[in-house]
């Protein structure tokens, strides 16, 4: 990715590689870049003038961070990454979870007192057809992602007489609703803190200026965006919580996406960081990775570069190397986004201004047709800025994200039992991998629609692979085993009857079951 000047006087556009118009010169580029940054800063100042005076200092600091991000974006030259500089992962770069030792019971309370749990709670449930924060979608026994998280931490606090706090990083999209919802946990044995990540203006792809007309965000939500979870470090510090927790003697935070139901506090990993198994050289950052399968080829992976471990995302890969990136042989692991980070080290990299995360350029088109870009960063990309950073190869059970209704089918099914807010795979499942489930977008993508197609969730203990496409419904007590493919063509409908057992079957055509 690089910034190239336009001969028509516009500020520029991102192009791949090193294509240059004949009239371009280095000097011309530098001037255009300076102009682009100056114009953006001028426009942001204009936006700031539309807010009341009391809000201006905080917003000015936030917009300063946005201008820094934009300044870095337009300075980037050439591809985001030199593929030839990737080194082989060193032997000790990734520790094996199975080699970790569980702590002794009497030490657990002391270890938990050094921990803070942070959940990334900035996302909406829109992709699953739900209004409001994604964390309030019911996922199991009418319990939401947030309910399960609170149950898990309360269970830890009660069992070990500890006081692990829960911190939610909200966005302007989820903050108001979340604040109302957390009140219901008042009587629980969990201290809940919230803070907001930044709110940055989307910029036009044409002229690289904000599309917002003023700072009334609620009036024009489309003009603003939360800049990815890499924004965590700055906003966590600015909220005052980082300082508070360090002063309380807490040492590590465990951070994960709220929709990853496998991301529970792991005492063996914690033991490696603050317990008896603590390494002699400090480990400031642990990224949980798991073995890559064909379903995960787009997930970020771990690489060694310039003698530092770092996260490599597909967006950074030069086009000619995308197939190499997806190879399960070349890159065995992918990032679960479960991260353990030392609080004092976060404070240090922020103070010393050595935090440097690659920029993710996200292209969007607004409802009115305006093409915009939003600049984001990923929390795991900070890995290279910490000392003694390592990966930890964890079991697949620690990565159980619910992104689509097919994931919801798995977590609502008899594959799992619920124990103190954690999902545990049924011992009746003969192998530890989850089935591969593909549900048709047109009939199953929205949660309400999906639930309406099942009288109850089928028995899938022995299922390997399920594909459903078209207008299909399931009666009560259906059992699916092996590989099952159900395809209703356009205009047809298939009703799978109550009590049906489908084992290694392909069902197609038209099958209606009508009440007599």
């Amino acid at each position: 990715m690089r910034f190239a000047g336009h001969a028509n006087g516009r500020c520029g556009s991102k192009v791949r590689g090193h294509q240059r118009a004949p009239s371009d010169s280095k000097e011309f580029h530098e001037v255009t870049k300076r102009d682009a940054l100056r114009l953006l800063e001028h426009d942001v100042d204009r936006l700031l003038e539309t807010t009341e005076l009391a809000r201006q200092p905080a917003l000015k600091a936030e917009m300063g961070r946005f201008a820094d991000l934009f300044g870095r974006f337009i300075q980037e030259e050439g591809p985001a990454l030199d593929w030839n500089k990737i080194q082989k992962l060193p032997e000790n770069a990734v520790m094996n979870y199975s080699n970790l030792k569980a702590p002794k019971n009497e030490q657990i309370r002391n270890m938990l007192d050094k921990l803070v749990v942070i959940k990334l709670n900035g996302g909406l449930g829109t992709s699953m057809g739900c209004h409001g924060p994604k964390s309030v979608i019911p996922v199991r026994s009418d319990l939401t992602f947030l309910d399960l998280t609170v149950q898990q931490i309360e269970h830890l606090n009660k069992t070990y007489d500890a006081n692990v706090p829960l911190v939610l990083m909200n966005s302007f999209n989820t903050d108001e609703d979340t604040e109302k919802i957390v009140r219901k946990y008042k009587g629980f044995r969990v201290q809940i803190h919230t803070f907001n990540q930044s709110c940055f203006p989307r910029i036009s792809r044409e002229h690289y200026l904000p599309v917002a007309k003023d700072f009334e965000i609620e009036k024009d939500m489309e003009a603003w965006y939360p800049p990815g979870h890499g924004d965590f470090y700055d906003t966590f510090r600015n909220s005052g919580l980082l300082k508070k927790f360090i002063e309380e003697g807490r040492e590590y935070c465990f951070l994960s996406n709220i929709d990853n139901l496998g991301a529970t506090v792991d005492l063996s990993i914690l033991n490696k960081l603050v317990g008896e198994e603590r390494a002699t050289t400090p480990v400031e950052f642990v990224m949980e990775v798991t073995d890559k399968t064909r379903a995960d080829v787009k997930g970020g992976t771990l690489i060694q570069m310039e003698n530092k471990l770092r996260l490599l995302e597909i967006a950074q890969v030069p086009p000619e190397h995308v197939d190499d990136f997806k190879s399960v042989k070349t890159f065995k692991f992918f990032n679960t986004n479960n991260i353990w980070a030392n609080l004092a080290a976060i404070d240090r990299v922020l103070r010393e201004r050595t935090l440097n995360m690659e920029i993710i350029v996200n292209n969007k088109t607004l409802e009115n047709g305006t093409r915009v870009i939003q600049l984001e960063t990923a929390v795991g990309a900070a890995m290279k800025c910490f000392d003694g950073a390592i990966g930890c190869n964890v079991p697949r059970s620690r990565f159980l994200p619910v992104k689509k209704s097919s994931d919801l089918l798995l977590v609502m099914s008899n594959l799992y039992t619920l124990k103190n807010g954690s999902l545990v795979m049924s011992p009746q499942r003969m192998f530890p991998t989850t089935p591969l489930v593909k549900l048709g977008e047109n009939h199953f993508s929205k949660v309400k629609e999906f639930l309406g197609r099942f009288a109850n969730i089928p028995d899938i203990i022995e299922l390997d692979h399920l594909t459903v496409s078209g207008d299909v419904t399931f009666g009560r007590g259906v059992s699916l085993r092996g590989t099952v493919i159900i395809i209703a063509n356009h205009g047809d409908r298939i009703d799978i009857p109550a009590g049906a057992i489908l084992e290694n079957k392909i069902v197609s055509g038209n099958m209606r079951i009508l009440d007599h």
Side-chain angles (χ1 to χ4, degrees):
M1 291 292 206
R2 61 188 289 278
F3 179 88
H6 263 280
N8 63 5
R10 286 202 180 115
C11 299
S13 66
K14 291 285 263 190
V15 296
R16 288 193 176 278
H18 292 274
Q19 302 148 345
R20 290 198 165 182
S23 60
D24 283 354
S25 69
K26 196 170 181 188
E27 192 179 341
F28 174 76
H29 277 271
E30 289 308 317
V31 171
T32 338
K33 286 174 185 176
R34 279 201 305 275
D35 280 353
L37 186 55
R38 189 174 48 76
L39 287 168
L40 178 105
E41 286 171 339
H42 180 267
D43 229 49
V44 165
D45 285 344
R46 180 187 57 75
L47 283 176
L48 284 166
E49 284 166 15
T50 67
T51 64
E52 56 266 34
L53 278 168
R55 287 182 66 207
Q56 283 187 10
L59 289 175
K60 198 167 182 178
E62 195 163 303
M63 289 302 102
R65 292 202 304 278
F66 171 66
D68 285 349
L69 190 64
F70 179 80
R72 280 178 47 219
F73 158 68
I74 59 171
Q75 285 301 334
E76 279 188 0
E77 290 282 348
L81 176 113
D82 184 345
W83 193 260
N84 298 322
K85 285 188 177 172
I86 296 177
Q87 301 159 305
K88 192 175 184 298
L89 277 183
E91 282 292 301
N92 57 355
V94 179
M95 58 183 178
N96 199 328
Y97 178 85
S98 56
N99 295 338
L100 297 178
K101 293 189 173 75
K104 297 188 180 82
N105 250 19
E106 62 273 17
Q107 295 165 337
I108 294 174
R109 179 187 169 179
N110 184 38
M111 285 166 45
L112 290 171
D113 284 343
K114 294 174 181 170
L115 182 69
V116 179
V117 173
I118 297 169
K119 293 287 180 181
L120 302 172
N121 184 47
L124 290 167
T126 40
S127 65
M128 295 177 77
C130 298
H131 295 292
K134 187 173 182 183
S135 55
V136 300
I137 297 176
V139 282
R140 179 92 192 195
S141 314
D142 281 335
L143 297 170
T144 66
F145 291 105
L146 201 48
D147 293 336
L148 295 174
T149 301
V150 170
Q151 279 191 11
Q152 288 164 20
I153 297 176
E154 186 186 48
H155 174 68
L156 270 182
N157 287 340
K158 280 181 169 174
T159 307
Y160 301 106
D161 189 25
N163 181 22
V164 177
L166 170 64
V167 179
L168 302 172
M169 180 169 92
N170 301 331
S171 69
F172 67 92
N173 287 318
T174 61
D175 179 52
E176 201 177 315
D177 289 337
T178 302
E179 288 303 323
K180 289 176 193 159
I181 292 155
V182 295
R183 289 179 202 147
K184 76 174 182 180
Y185 305 118
K186 275 274 191 289
F188 286 68
R189 191 169 164 175
V190 184
Q191 278 182 26
I192 301 177
H193 304 269
T194 61
F195 70 97
N196 261 13
Q197 70 178 114
S198 303
C199 174
F200 285 176
R202 284 175 165 153
I203 51 181
S204 157
R205 227 182 302 176
E206 284 294 306
H207 47 62
Y208 281 9
L209 293 174
V211 292
K213 301 284 180 282
D214 53 44
F215 247 105
E216 287 187 56
I217 293 158
E218 291 74 21
K219 202 174 75 182
D220 189 8
M221 297 281 267
E222 267 209 319
W224 302 86
Y225 74 100
H229 39 58
D231 186 49
F232 157 73
Y233 303 100
D234 272 309
T235 48
F236 184 46
R237 175 192 54 188
N238 296 343
S239 71
L241 288 170
L242 177 61
K243 183 170 187 277
K244 169 189 159 64
F245 292 136
I246 290 172
E247 285 171 355
E248 284 177 10
R250 298 191 186 272
E251 292 181 28
Y252 280 84
C253 63
F254 170 53
L255 177 143
S256 62
N257 298 346
I258 197 145
D259 65 5
N260 178 6
L261 294 175
T264 56
V265 171
D266 189 282
L267 295 174
S268 300
I269 296 176
L270 189 61
N271 194 26
K272 181 76 180 169
L273 298 174
V274 299
E276 266 196 340
E277 294 295 307
R278 185 191 283 246
T280 43
T281 52
V283 173
E284 292 185 347
F285 193 101
V286 177
M287 178 183 286
E288 291 187 34
V289 295
T290 193
D291 292 346
K292 191 155 78 167
T293 67
R294 285 200 304 264
D296 319 305
V297 291
K298 290 183 178 177
T301 192
L302 269 188
I303 59 167
Q304 178 88 347
M305 197 166 175
E306 292 163 348
N307 300 317
K308 281 273 191 184
L309 260 192
R310 58 167 74 193
L311 173 66
L312 175 65
E313 298 278 10
I314 194 162
Q316 297 161 253
V317 177
E320 65 275 19
H321 289 292
V322 167
D323 287 344
D324 300 333
F325 174 82
K326 289 180 175 179
S327 157
V328 179
K329 284 198 186 96
T330 316
F331 299 106
K332 296 189 182 74
F333 308 118
F334 82 99
N335 169 29
T336 62
N337 218 38
N338 301 346
I339 283 163
W340 303 73
N342 182 284
L343 298 177
I346 292 173
D347 185 53
R348 183 192 74 236
V349 296
L350 287 167
R351 268 188 296 106
E352 294 176 357
R353 298 179 67 85
T354 52
L355 193 65
N356 170 27
M357 293 166 283
E358 288 78 15
I359 295 170
I360 299 160
V361 181
N362 202 339
N363 292 295
K364 300 260 181 190
T365 303
L366 305 185
E367 277 182 10
N368 65 7
T370 306
R371 299 189 318 151
V372 296
I373 49 178
Q374 53 189 51
L375 305 176
E376 303 174 11
T377 54
V379 68
M383 185 179 208
K384 62 181 186 293
C385 310
F386 291 89
D387 296 332
I390 55 170
C392 181
N393 185 12
V394 297
R396 185 73 185 203
S397 57
R398 291 195 54 74
F399 184 66
L400 189 55
V402 179
K403 304 286 183 196
K404 297 180 183 159
S405 53
S406 50
D407 302 322
L408 208 50
L409 177 72
L410 296 175
V411 301
M412 292 175 85
S413 75
N414 61 342
L415 264 188
Y416 295 99
T417 51
L418 195 58
K419 196 175 171 191
N420 306 311
S422 299
L423 289 184
V424 182
M425 192 174 275
S426 163
Q428 289 173 281
R429 177 84 172 164
M430 297 304 288
F431 26 85
T433 54
T434 53
L436 189 60
V437 175
K438 293 177 183 172
L439 302 177
E441 287 292 309
N442 293 343
H443 295 84
F444 290 87
S445 63
K446 310 240 181 309
V447 173
K448 194 175 172 190
E449 220 171 32
F450 158 82
L451 292 172
R453 292 188 168 273
F454 294 92
N456 69 348
I457 300 295
D459 157 23
I460 59 171
I461 285 284
E462 294 177 44
L463 179 70
D464 296 325
H465 180 136
L466 172 68
T467 296
V468 182
S469 177
D471 188 356
V472 179
T473 66
F474 293 80
R476 187 166 292 280
V478 170
S479 184
L480 305 172
R481 301 170 188 172
T483 295
V484 178
I485 297 168
I486 307 168
I487 295 171
N489 294 325
H490 185 66
D492 289 346
R493 175 167 153 183
I494 296 176
D495 296 330
I496 303 296
I501 297 171
L502 298 180
E503 183 167 2
N504 297 322
K505 290 281 184 285
I506 296 176
V507 182
S508 64
N510 196 11
M511 182 163 73
R512 301 294 307 270
I513 295 177
L514 304 171
D515 287 332
H516 189 53

